[in-house]
Amino acid sequence: MRKIFILATPVFMTAILLILFGCNHSKQYELTLKLDNAEGQSVYLCKHIDDNTDAVIDSSVISGKTTVLTAPNDDPQTLYIIKFNKNDHCGIYNFFTENQNTTITGNRDDMPHWTVKGCPSMDILMAHHEESMKLYEEPIMAAYMELE
């Protein structure tokens, strides 16, 4: 009987530890915004629902250059939206995240050049976006230079 107790104790303790620590998954993640020229502005984190609908998940007022928004862990393919006017469908920033802490940095007035860190899917999308911007900007700049 004593041998069974001695053998069962480590198994029992391991099971308890797995239950305590294995179920300690965060139910939300943080989105940190570090933006120049945004002091005192309200910012809204929204979840894309369909083409004409999104839902505000969290909001904050930017203090200094930084604010932190939280969102529930959701489908990793969810499209999230940053807005400075919750009723506006222009002047928005779209991004994906894998339900992990993410940081967005940039200038409030230059959304196309914001960077997203902490999210492998966004790294791929941002690389594609940068290449697309080159295809768009280079011919325009070349045509502008010809006019001078």
Side-chain angles (χ1 to χ4, degrees), residues 49-88:
I49 306 297
D50 61 40
D51 288 342
N52 297 317
T53 310
D54 52 57
V56 175
I57 297 171
D58 196 9
S59 64
S60 180
V61 174
I62 298 174
S63 175
K65 293 182 179 184
T66 306
T67 193
V68 176
L69 301 162
T70 57
N73 281 342
D74 206 342
D75 178 10
Q77 298 305 315
T78 299
L79 175 65
Y80 291 97
I81 304 164
I82 299 292
K83 294 181 173 187
F84 290 94
N85 177 344
K86 67 180 174 182
N87 298 318
D88 197 357

Side-chain angles (χ1 to χ4, degrees), residues 7-126:
L7 291 175
T9 301
V11 172
F12 179 71
M13 292 304 289
T14 302
I16 294 293
L17 289 173
L18 285 174
I19 290 170
L20 289 175
F21 293 107
C23 296
N24 193 20
H25 297 290
S26 176
K27 294 185 184 334
Q28 62 185 21
Y29 68 92
E30 291 183 346
L31 171 67
T32 302
L33 292 176
K34 297 180 180 179
L35 302 175
D36 295 326
N37 299 323
E39 169 75 32
Q41 293 186 20
S42 295
V43 62
Y44 301 89
L45 175 63
C46 304
K47 177 181 176 181
H48 177 77
I49 306 297
D50 61 40
D51 288 342
N52 297 317
T53 310
D54 52 57
V56 175
I57 297 171
D58 196 9
S59 64
S60 180
V61 174
I62 298 174
S63 175
K65 293 182 179 184
T66 306
T67 193
V68 176
L69 301 162
T70 57
N73 281 342
D74 206 342
D75 178 10
Q77 298 305 315
T78 299
L79 175 65
Y80 291 97
I81 304 164
I82 299 292
K83 294 181 173 187
F84 290 94
N85 177 344
K86 67 180 174 182
N87 298 318
D88 197 357
H89 292 285
C90 298
I92 62 174
Y93 186 77
N94 299 317
F95 70 100
F96 295 95
T97 185
E98 281 94 14
N99 294 327
Q100 57 193 24
N101 293 343
T102 304
T103 301
I104 297 177
T105 58
N107 187 310
R108 158 68 174 96
D109 302 320
D110 192 17
M111 284 185 187
H113 294 102
W114 285 7
T115 58
V116 179
K117 298 292 181 199
C119 176
S121 293
M122 271 310 286
D123 292 342
I124 294 167
L125 185 61
M126 293 298 289

